Amino acid sequence: MFKSVLAIALLAAPALGHIRLTAFNGDTSCVRLPPNNSPQTDVTSTNIVCNVNGNAPASGVCNVAAGSTATVTWDTGAHPGPEIVYLAKTSDAKTTNPSSLKWFKISQDGLRSDGKWGSDVVNANGGKYSFKIPSNIASGTYLLRGETIGLHVAQTYPGAQFYMSCVQLNITGGGSANPAGVSFPGAYKGTDSGVTLNIYYPVPTSYTVPGPAVYSG
Ligand SMILES: *[C@@H]1O[C@H](CO)[C@@H](O)[C@H](O)[C@H]1NC(C)=O
Ligand SMILES: [Cu+2]
């Protein structure tokens, strides 16, 4: 009896591991999908921007309304850590070099008061993470950078596992705001308290998500 219950529990539990962000609002055509699901660990590498081959355009550009709630999809269960979403205005969502962009953060979910990480919530939600596109930002083309940081082996640097894909967007019906942003690489340091930490001993009660504050819109 116990054995079969255990077997079912093991089958039902999502396998935690390497992941890729594969879709935006259910559409895969606008996602610059990395060639594999290996993590990035060097915050000074250009691969920290849009992952490996991050300069290679995807075929599509996804339209999304300013002020709407959008959802990105991760393909399998993620290691424990934060969920983060950035936007950067581009002159052309397909051809602009992502290393030249200024990124502003629009959403994050780090460590919750119940001890759950943003990625735990995403895993329980079939890989989906939802957030609001700010209503007042200028209409036009953007790259979205959707990120999960795996903190299971982050005790020393390099250790934290950065997973991200960039998504080519056309934001419609916006306002006139052009929020200040940060550069990747550059926004994260190996010494950031949210990058290099032990999440198992002692178990943290608070966590500072790396990067700038969330743009409130
Ligand atoms: C973005 O959307 C606007 C409004 O619908 C449209 O006029 C424009 O052609 C679109 N641009 C791209 C690159 O899809
Ligand atoms: Cu992994």
Side-chain angles (χ1 to χ4, degrees):
M1 174 62 185
F2 175 74
K3 243 185 177 170
S4 59
V5 169
L6 184 66
I8 289 166
L10 287 175
L11 282 174
L16 303 188
H18 291 1
I19 52 170
R20 285 193 292 185
L21 187 162
T22 56
F24 175 88
N25 282 351
D27 192 335
T28 58
S29 73
C30 54
V31 177
R32 296 186 183 181
L33 187 69
N36 58 53
N37 61 8
S38 295
Q40 300 306 309
T41 58
D42 179 356
V43 296
T44 68
S45 163
T46 53
N47 287 343
I48 203 76
V49 194
C50 291
N51 216 316
V52 175
N53 294 349
N55 289 342
S59 60
V61 176
C62 285
N63 290 304
V64 63
S68 68
T69 297
T71 300
V72 291
T73 307
W74 294 92
D75 56 358
T76 63
H79 298 294
E83 299 291 325
I84 317 175
V85 180
Y86 295 86
L87 284 176
K89 189 105 173 58
T90 68
S91 49
D92 183 311
K94 287 190 183 178
T95 58
T96 307
N97 177 358
S99 297
S100 71
L101 299 175
K102 294 291 185 191
W103 302 86
F104 57 97
K105 191 187 269 178
I106 60 167
S107 181
Q108 65 183 20
D109 190 3
L111 182 62
R112 298 181 170 208
S113 54
D114 63 1
K116 284 197 164 64
W117 291 94
S119 65
D120 296 330
V121 179
V122 166
N123 292 347
N125 195 29
K128 296 197 185 322
Y129 182 70
S130 294
F131 50 89
K132 191 182 168 195
I133 304 288
S135 54
N136 65 350
I137 58 172
S139 300
T141 59
Y142 287 77
L143 279 185
L144 177 146
R145 181 177 177 280
E147 177 175 40
T148 301
I149 308 178
L151 296 177
H152 53 303
V153 287
Q155 296 90 327
T156 56
Y157 179 85
Q161 299 187 348
F162 299 83
Y163 300 92
M164 77 294 296
S165 296
C166 288
V167 182
Q168 300 165 180
L169 294 183
N170 184 26
I171 297 182
T172 59
S176 57
N178 280 302
V182 297
S183 296
F184 282 101
Y188 298 167
K189 303 258 181 299
T191 52
D192 287 349
S193 66
V195 169
T196 302
L197 72 161
N198 187 330
I199 63 165
Y200 298 110
Y201 186 81
V203 174
T205 53
S206 68
Y207 173 75
T208 302
V209 178
V214 174
Y215 174 67
S216 52

